[in-house]
């Protein structure tokens, strides 16, 4: 049986973030902190959280600022550093609440870039890192002319929001999941130009500093992903330690946790955690 709870977390700069917790009835063996992708929110992972709870693992998911039920204009954070600070605050809170339990950071897409950059930028790290479909590079990066157009705007109005260009059909082969995503009132398609540029650069920062990851690391990507580059994930692990494992899912789209073979995907993560 799952003990579910939702609450609000106040950041150092006084932003309210919506937090959901799925806790096993018995003492959890570990804690997972989930960092969602651009335009999404933590509530879309309830079915995934329940699977971990059955394994005795507590699952925590919060809506990032500018997303879901949390404070902020949709897609508006002007820099990824604010999102990384929020991860640190959440990890600190979990460490204080469960001082003896391992904390596993799990990031998807933009959340994967945030999770990786958090781990390589701090000594107050986590016990393990999982990322799926990380935004290291985009399959269709912006043109040089668009980047040139954005640069002057960054100096005067980094908070200007633009459509993110994501096609819901690219998230999953499961048509029901695509429809749920398209109809979800908490999902949005916005990104500020400041956030876009900083996440874009953070992907390259992650590529340059992969050697700083000092914990067990699972990175997974679908080879059919039309949003973030599976090739970049494949190249990424070339300079990692033997504590890193790459799993490519043949033909899978962007959201592995919503693909038709999600049961197989989950079992792979669960088996990796047991190891």
């Amino acid at each position: 049986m799952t003990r579910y709870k939702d609450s609000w977390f106040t950041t150092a700069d006084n932003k309210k973030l919506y937090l959901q917790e799925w806790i096993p009835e018995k003492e959890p063996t570990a804690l997972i902190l989930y960092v969602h992708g651009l335009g999404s929110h933590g509530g879309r992972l309830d079915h995934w959280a329940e699977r971990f709870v059955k394994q005795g693992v507590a699952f925590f998911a919060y809506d990032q600022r500018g997303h879901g039920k949390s404070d902020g204009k949709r897609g508006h954070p002007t820099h990824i550093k604010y999102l990384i600070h929020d991860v640190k605050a959440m990890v600190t809170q979990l460490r204080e609440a469960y001082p003896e339990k391992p904390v596993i950071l799990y990031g998807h897409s933009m959340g994967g870039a945030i999770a990786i950059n958090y781990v390589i930028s701090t000594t107050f790290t986590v016990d393990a890192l999982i990322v799926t479909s990380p935004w290291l590079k985009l399959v269709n990066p912006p043109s040089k002319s668009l980047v040139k157009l954005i640069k002057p705007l960054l100096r005067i109005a980094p908070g200007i929001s633009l459509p993110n260009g994501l096609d819901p059909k690219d998230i999953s082969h499961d048509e029901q999941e695509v429809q749920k995503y398209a109809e979800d009132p908490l999902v949005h398609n916005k990104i500020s130009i400041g956030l876009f540029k900083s996440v874009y650069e953070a992907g390259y920062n992650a590529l340059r500093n992969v050697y700083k990851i000092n914990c067990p690391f699972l990175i997974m990507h679908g080879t059919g992903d039309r949003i973030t580059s599976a090739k970049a994930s494949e190249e990424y692990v070339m300079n990692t330690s033997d504590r890193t494992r790459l799993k490519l899912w043949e033909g899978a789209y962007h959201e592995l946790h919503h693909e038709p073979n999600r049961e197989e995907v989950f079992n792979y993560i669960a088996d990796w955690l047991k190891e």
Side-chain angles (χ1 to χ4, degrees):
M1 187 174 176
T2 302
R3 290 182 288 138
Y4 172 81
K5 174 185 172 185
D6 64 347
S7 60
W8 295 90
F9 177 85
T10 304
T11 66
D13 59 344
N14 212 33
K15 300 289 184 185
K16 281 190 169 185
L17 305 184
Y18 180 65
L19 173 65
Q20 297 177 82
E21 308 173 14
W22 294 263
I23 313 293
E25 196 168 13
K26 294 182 179 179
E27 188 76 8
T29 56
L31 320 172
I32 286 179
L33 176 63
Y34 182 81
V35 189
H36 65 74
L38 178 67
S40 191
H41 61 92
R44 295 185 63 236
L45 270 290
D46 56 345
H47 70 100
W48 210 235
E50 292 285 359
R51 290 174 184 266
F52 283 102
V53 168
K54 288 178 181 177
Q55 299 288 321
V57 177
F59 195 95
F60 300 80
Y62 67 99
D63 295 354
Q64 300 198 69
R65 57 178 70 199
H67 292 78
K69 297 181 180 180
S70 291
D71 280 355
K73 180 182 171 184
R74 303 301 83 179
H76 179 67
T78 53
H79 203 283
I80 192 175
K81 66 183 180 182
Y82 301 111
L83 305 179
I84 295 172
H85 291 162
D86 292 342
V87 172
K88 183 175 182 179
M90 289 289 177
V91 170
T92 300
Q93 177 172 278
L94 291 182
R95 290 285 194 200
E96 291 173 353
Y98 300 88
E100 305 299 323
K101 303 299 179 184
V103 176
I104 300 141
L105 186 59
Y106 179 169
H108 172 71
S109 193
M110 182 182 76
I114 292 165
I116 290 171
N117 277 273
Y118 165 74
V119 170
I120 65 179
S121 67
T122 181
T123 55
F124 189 71
T125 187
V126 289
D127 297 283
L129 174 63
I130 301 169
V131 297
T132 55
S133 315
W135 181 349
L136 298 172
K137 293 181 180 180
L138 296 173
V139 172
N140 296 304
S143 65
K144 290 182 180 178
S145 58
L146 180 59
V147 172
K148 189 175 181 181
L149 180 66
I150 285 174
K151 278 185 177 179
L153 288 174
L154 282 167
R155 291 192 292 270
I156 56 174
I160 290 177
S161 293
L162 301 171
N164 62 29
L166 190 151
D167 184 344
K169 292 179 182 177
D170 290 341
I171 70 165
S172 172
H173 285 88
D174 187 327
E175 292 182 4
Q176 287 187 326
E177 291 298 339
V178 171
Q179 185 174 357
K180 282 165 62 177
Y181 178 90
E183 296 176 353
D184 190 332
L186 292 179
V187 167
H188 68 78
N189 70 340
K190 301 294 184 183
I191 185 169
S192 71
I193 59 174
L195 180 60
F196 174 81
K197 182 174 183 292
S198 64
V199 178
Y200 188 78
E201 291 173 345
Y204 286 93
N205 182 60
L207 290 166
R208 288 192 300 268
N209 293 283
V210 63
Y211 66 92
K212 294 182 180 179
I213 295 176
N214 56 3
C215 63
F217 178 26
L218 173 63
I219 179 169
M220 304 199 302
H221 218 130
T223 62
D225 195 333
R226 297 185 286 203
I227 300 171
T228 57
S229 171
K231 195 69 178 175
S233 289
E234 199 171 357
E235 294 170 355
Y236 189 53
V237 301
M238 290 180 182
N239 297 314
T240 54
S241 71
D242 57 6
R243 304 177 83 190
T244 298
R245 185 186 300 178
L246 169 70
K247 173 61 177 174
L248 296 176
W249 295 91
E250 189 62 34
Y253 283 176
H254 189 61
E255 293 192 345
L256 297 174
H257 49 280
H258 284 135
E259 280 287 66
N261 67 332
R262 60 181 73 97
E263 183 79 27
E264 187 182 358
V265 172
F266 175 80
N267 289 338
Y268 191 93
I269 297 173
D271 289 343
W272 180 81
L273 287 173
K274 289 173 185 174
E275 291 176 21

